[in-house]
Amino acid sequence: MTRITIGPFNRVEGDLEVRLDVESGRVVRAEVTAPLYRGFEQILEGRPPLDALALAPRICGICSVSQSVAAAAALRDAMAIEAAPNGLLATNIAHAAENAADHLTHFYIFFMPDFAREAYAAHDWHEATRERFAATRGSAARDALPARARLLEIMGIIAGKWPHSLAFQPGGTTRAIDLGERVRLLSIATAFRSFLERVVFADALENVLAIATADELDRWRDGRGGDFAHFLRLADRLALTGLGKGSGLMMSYGAYHGPDGELFPRGLFGPRAAIEPLPLAQITEDVSHAWMRESSADPAHSRTVPDPDKPAGYSWCKAPRLSGQPIEVGAIARQTVAGQALIADLVSISGTNVRSRVIARLIETARIALAIEQWTRALRLSEPFCHGGREVPNGSYVGLVEAARGSLGHWMAVRDGKIERYQIIAPTTWNFSPRDSFDIGGPLEQALVGTDVGHAGARAVAIQHIVRSFDPCMVCTAH
């Protein structure tokens, strides 16, 4: 048996290393390491609760709004108030814009360039793929980056700046939108829809979202232009359905809250392959293989205390578990729990894998592009965008949201007007967790087992595909 180490990874947000035990050319064990300690949970301790609105967004520069919204949700729980309906809509618009921008970045900048690698040079599709998707040189980035930049202009209108805005508050958003700004928001949303329909899908979004089965997707793909169809053809040629398979357990905290409920509901896709209520009280953190000292397993009561010399540790990432099980989170989990027809059919046929994760991310992008238009039109410009807050009493509170990469939770305990404890479980903490006390690996560690690396070893492109299919954000992972 041979042990190989891959890392640091390029085109990944933050630091990541992967250690693989390989026997007869196949991975038999994987250990995923988050090698950079952040310490945000410790920074927040002892501060006034509202400081979380300023500090938590600085955890990350690409999913800053997600961290803001989670902190605001925890404070809203603490204050026992309702956000203004306009504030919920404006938050949804900004949050969806950030998540959609992340999905574009993943597809065009992080994921697709791997197909332009020389490892695929012998394939007849390689030259066209290299011209389109090669990192820094391909034509795709020249199309996608301006579309992403225009989409993020939404942040300037709603939040004043991005990242690290203070506009997202427990009671809503701080800035009212006027008629001219709503017209600008609709113009940006229309331009984003146009980009998706021209470049990504080469079809109307309504037609794409009407695809309900795997067979319909195959028929739609044949002869179709656009980058999504290009990916589907590559995925089928390379049998990516069989690569990076997950356990099938997935969850969503629910995304994009409004007066009438959530766009994507909360739930668990459980062992019976059915949508079940999410047992939030069963969320625990295991630190047996993290460079952390033992604390309460309940994030509402635990503390983050580093132990860099811990013999069994190999990551700064804790191991979150739901009812004792590792859980996959992300767009595929959200869309499965939401009952999106195509994703549900793909999961029923082949579970989670490299191909289905990417499909889910792009299908979700189409769904939230339409939702941004609807939320913008639903704004009532003469009504408040923010309700006032209250003092935060002693107690434990939680804010749960869905970032682009999956379920994000902030657990906050307050005593005598100060933050006593603060715990953050980010999406990549779920997906890239180390092993727990039962020696059960996290979702990525499990997905890597069985991968054929052949003689390529650390250069095996299959490993890159699997890791990037989860779209890691390592700076959000370890606190």
Side-chain angles (χ1 to χ4, degrees), residues 160-173:
K161 67 166 188 170
W162 181 83
H164 317 326
S165 170
L166 293 176
F168 307 102
Q169 297 288 319
T173 51

Side-chain angles (χ1 to χ4, degrees), residues 31-32 314-315 317-321 326 427-436 440-445 477:
E31 293 181 352
V32 177
Y314 62 85
S315 180
C317 180
K318 299 178 183 178
R321 296 293 185 261
T428 307
T429 318
W430 285 100
N431 287 335
F432 283 55
S433 82
R435 311 181 93 77
D436 57 28
I440 298 173
L444 175 60
E445 292 183 339
T477 302

Side-chain angles (χ1 to χ4, degrees), residues 69-75 77 253 397-401 408-412 422:
V69 174
L75 288 164
D77 181 39
Y253 287 155
Y397 311 102
V398 63
L400 304 174
V401 303
L408 169 65
H410 285 207
W411 283 261
M412 177 176 63
Y422 208 102

Side-chain angles (χ1 to χ4, degrees), residues 115-131 234:
F115 296 102
R117 289 173 177 258
E118 287 303 309
Y120 291 130
H123 292 264
D124 57 7
W125 46 261
H126 180 261
E127 182 60 27
T129 300
R130 186 184 63 81
E131 291 179 2
L234 293 182

Side-chain angles (χ1 to χ4, degrees), residues 177-445:
I177 304 300
D178 63 27
L179 182 60
E181 289 165 333
R182 177 157 69 181
V183 171
R184 288 176 59 197
L185 288 171
L186 285 171
S187 174
I188 294 168
T190 300
F192 183 56
R193 174 203 273 255
S194 176
F195 167 77
L196 294 177
E197 292 183 335
R198 288 183 299 102
V199 178
V200 179
F201 298 110
D203 199 355
L205 298 189
E206 291 82 358
N207 293 340
V208 174
L209 294 177
I211 301 169
T213 68
D215 288 341
E216 289 178 18
L217 181 65
D218 290 342
R219 291 193 294 271
W220 178 89
R221 173 206 62 205
D222 292 340
R224 176 76 54 184
D227 294 328
F228 181 44
H230 191 138
F231 162 73
L232 292 174
R233 286 189 284 271
L234 293 182
D236 292 343
R237 292 283 294 273
L238 297 172
L240 296 188
T241 298
L243 194 63
K245 295 182 75 66
S247 69
L249 300 177
M250 296 179 281
M251 75 171 183
S252 169
Y253 287 155
Y256 309 119
H257 305 272
D260 300 321
E262 301 153 328
L263 177 64
F264 305 141
R266 175 182 294 182
L268 168 70
F269 186 77
R272 291 182 289 276
I275 311 301
E276 304 172 6
L278 187 58
L280 293 173
Q282 298 301 314
I283 293 175
T284 57
E285 294 181 292
D286 184 306
V287 298
S288 58
H289 289 81
W291 289 309
M292 303 283 179
R293 293 183 186 173
E294 293 290 340
S295 180
S296 172
D298 183 348
H301 299 285
S302 65
R303 298 193 105 96
T304 296
V305 183
D307 186 2
D309 298 319
K310 187 174 180 178
Y314 62 85
S315 180
W316 287 112
C317 180
K318 299 178 183 178
R321 296 293 185 261
L322 181 68
S323 302
Q325 298 295 318
I327 302 291
E328 182 171 341
V329 300
I332 192 165
R334 277 191 297 275
Q335 296 309 312
T336 300
V337 170
Q340 204 284 329
L342 173 60
I343 303 307
D345 191 55
L346 292 173
V347 168
S348 71
I349 294 170
S350 57
T352 62
N353 51 67
V354 170
R355 181 178 184 265
S356 59
R357 290 184 191 106
V358 176
I359 292 172
R361 211 170 269 116
L362 292 178
I363 291 296
E364 179 170 280
T365 303
R367 293 191 72 182
I368 59 180
L370 297 181
I372 289 172
E373 296 178 1
Q374 295 164 3
W375 291 324
T376 303
R377 292 191 177 96
L379 291 169
R380 299 292 179 257
L381 305 185
S382 61
E383 298 177 5
F385 277 71
C386 195
H387 290 160
R390 301 173 182 169
E391 291 294 322
V392 178
N394 292 346
S396 296
Y397 311 102
V398 63
L400 304 174
V401 303
E402 284 289 313
R405 293 158 184 83
S407 303
L408 169 65
H410 285 207
W411 283 261
M412 177 176 63
V414 175
R415 180 173 294 278
D416 300 329
K418 302 290 185 181
I419 296 173
E420 184 179 31
R421 297 183 303 275
Y422 208 102
Q423 289 294 299
I424 301 162
I425 304 180
T428 307
T429 318
W430 285 100
N431 287 335
F432 283 55
S433 82
R435 311 181 93 77
D436 57 28
S437 58
F438 298 99
D439 203 39
I440 298 173
L444 175 60
E445 292 183 339

